[in-house]
Amino acid sequence: MSSEMLDLFISSFGETLLMVGVSSLLGALLGVPMGIFLHLTDADGIRPQTALNRVVGMFVNAVRSTPFIILLVAVIPLTRFFVGSSIGTAAAIVPLTIAAAPFVARLVETALREVDRGLVEAAQAMGATTWQIVSKVLVPEAFPGIVAGITLTVVSLVGYSAMAGAIGGGGLGDLGIRYGYQRFLPEVMLIVVLILIVFVQLVQTLGDRLVRRLGHR
């Protein structure tokens, strides 16, 4: 492998890390509160608001059911509004974040449903406010599940980031398409796939270890 190609792999991997890292962080910052809101406002929640819950739930389901390659194209006007371009690593972060937030929201909502309802009722009986129930009971008890959900989201975003390369999003996906496919260099495509596999395995392993450690506390 030439030094020029090695530099391309390094810079492309850096772009993938940037896309996945930033979109995971933003997706979690948006998705976790959204998931908590969906849980609280559910018909069986402690602050039921059926109509509002249904509206937010429909938005979450709509984004989650849209194939990412279509979402990439559909949000181009929004991407241009935020970053001034629809091409490049920064531009890819916008659709990646939009895809990540609803995904995180549903996983957080599921994790919160697993919390023993008796703990919530006990906190209510002691006069705890909604914020206290969320911060002292729901989130701490569901935290391992929330971490597992965010780990799953990061793994999914690795695949999405590679897909973003199809429209010039940068990263390893872009490198694989430009050199492995368009220039007929199968060895480049193979290396890209191997790097992505190792990266996903590393993320999943670290996430699983963190979940087990949190679960034993």
Side-chain angles (χ1 to χ4, degrees), residues 39 47 56 86 102-103 109 122 143 177 200-201 204 217:
H39 178 70
R47 287 291 182 269
V56 176
S86 61
F103 193 73
E109 183 187 17
F143 198 58
I177 290 171
V200 166
Q201 290 293 332
Q204 190 67 62
R217 289 182 178 178

Side-chain angles (χ1 to χ4, degrees), residues 92-103:
I93 290 173
V94 176
L96 285 171
T97 300
I98 293 173
F103 193 73

